[in-house]
Amino acid sequence: MAHALTRLLEISPAPGEPRRKNWDEVEYLLGVRLPADYKELIRVYGGGNWDDYLYVLEPGCPNESYDLVTWAVQQAEDLEGLWEFEKKPAELAVDEARVVPWATTDNGECLYWLVRPGFGADEWTVMVNEARGDRWEHFAASCTQFLASVLAGELRSALLSSRFPLATHEFRRIGAA
């Protein structure tokens, strides 16, 4: 976990003052504990845009369009409605398995944590859903490991833009709209 954050800091320095969050309140609203690597990512970087494409959601984000809690509620409702007509990914066939969003893209792809019974938050892995379709990918990585590996060019997603990541990385913290 710390190794992935160190790699991100090498890719793009942190943009200023750390962000403080009331994680107990956020986790209460979501109904789950969140991974430690995500909390550290938000503390160091805040919610932000990587390479003008991928947006990491932040609880209490200054731009409400990228608020983690709002996204989690909305995506849960949208997916339940969608799965009345489309097949759920195999990873969600287990009772009480669900996904919780942690990032999105400017094309509309959504990146989720795979939350499964018997797995603690620090064991959650990443799932990517295409923007306007039913294709999903599963990656055995934490959100920070996934982000660092994608930006370093070590991991590729068939669903994310072929233009991502950029050769020269850029991080912009999300500010008020």
Side-chain angles (χ1 to χ4, degrees):
M1 169 177 55
H3 177 68
L5 185 61
T6 300
R7 290 180 64 210
L8 284 175
L9 288 165
E10 291 168 358
I11 290 168
S12 181
E17 294 298 314
R19 295 257 172 111
R20 305 280 183 227
K21 299 292 171 185
N22 180 343
W23 291 110
D24 290 336
E25 179 182 343
V26 171
E27 292 169 334
Y28 173 78
L29 292 170
L30 292 172
V32 293
R33 307 247 354 120
L34 292 173
D37 72 313
Y38 171 77
K39 294 176 188 178
E40 188 65 9
L41 176 66
I42 294 301
R43 186 188 73 74
V44 172
Y45 282 96
N49 177 276
W50 289 91
D51 288 358
D52 202 30
Y53 175 71
L54 189 140
Y55 293 83
V56 174
L57 305 173
E58 175 184 1
C61 185
N63 181 332
E64 293 179 6
S65 297
Y66 299 100
D67 179 73
L68 176 74
V69 175
T70 302
W71 266 82
V73 170
Q74 181 180 348
Q75 288 300 109
E77 291 172 2
D78 290 350
L79 288 172
E80 283 306 313
L82 183 67
W83 288 329
E84 290 179 18
F85 306 100
E86 291 183 7
K87 185 179 173 186
K88 278 186 180 183
E91 292 85 356
L92 296 175
V94 176
D95 284 341
E96 298 182 34
R98 66 180 180 135
V99 288
V100 175
W102 63 271
T104 188
T105 70
D106 66 353
N107 290 341
E109 292 87 10
C110 196
L111 289 77
Y112 297 91
W113 288 294
L114 174 58
V115 180
R116 295 177 285 181
F119 288 80
D122 293 330
E123 298 172 291
W124 293 354
T125 53
V126 172
M127 292 192 69
V128 179
N129 180 221
E130 72 179 323
R132 287 163 283 287
D134 61 359
R135 292 188 309 157
W136 289 78
E137 293 177 318
H138 181 228
F139 297 92
S142 72
C143 65
T144 306
Q145 291 167 336
F146 177 86
L147 186 55
S149 295
V150 167
L151 291 170
E154 300 165 354
L155 189 143
R156 296 287 304 169
S157 165
L159 301 180
L160 299 179
S161 173
S162 60
R163 295 184 182 141
F164 176 76
L166 298 175
T168 303
H169 301 294
E170 177 182 298
F171 176 82
R172 286 180 287 125
R173 188 176 270 179
I174 298 172

